[in-house]
Amino acid sequence: MPYRYTCRTCRASGAVHTTRRGAHRDEAGHRDAVHGGMTPPNGDHVHYATPSPRGLIVTAAVLLLLVAIKAVTGIAPDDVARWAGLL
């Protein structure tokens, strides 16, 4: 699951991390660099970050491209893999 650190005082956000531990490292680094190691006055938190739909869009585009290539050439990806000795 993706997590992100956000400082309410600075309105700064850290990078999206796959674990809470990564987001907490951003939290500690931001607190040390900007707030002298202290909790910001308005608070901060690590929260769930909604995943970007970009991955789904790219996957759909690649699948559509493969279907189009198969329709035009008659060659499917598994045929290429067999020819290359991968399957």
Side-chain angles (χ1 to χ4, degrees):
M1 297 186 114
Y3 294 95
R4 173 178 278 167
Y5 164 73
T6 303
C7 177
R8 292 184 183 130
T9 301
C10 303
R11 298 189 187 266
S13 293
V16 175
H17 296 275
T18 56
T19 62
R20 282 187 183 268
R21 181 177 292 168
H24 281 294
R25 281 194 301 264
D26 282 355
E27 176 183 40
H30 177 77
R31 283 182 178 183
D32 288 342
V34 179
H35 302 289
M38 306 297 287
T39 302
N42 293 338
D44 58 353
H45 66 288
V46 170
H47 58 91
Y48 174 77
T50 306
S52 169
R54 184 182 308 166
L56 182 60
I57 293 169
V58 168
T59 301
V62 168
L63 289 175
L64 286 173
L65 178 65
L66 292 173
V67 168
I69 290 172
K70 168 78 171 156
V72 171
T73 65
I75 299 173
D78 61 331
D79 295 332
V80 174
R82 277 193 201 93
W83 293 333
L86 300 174
L87 289 179

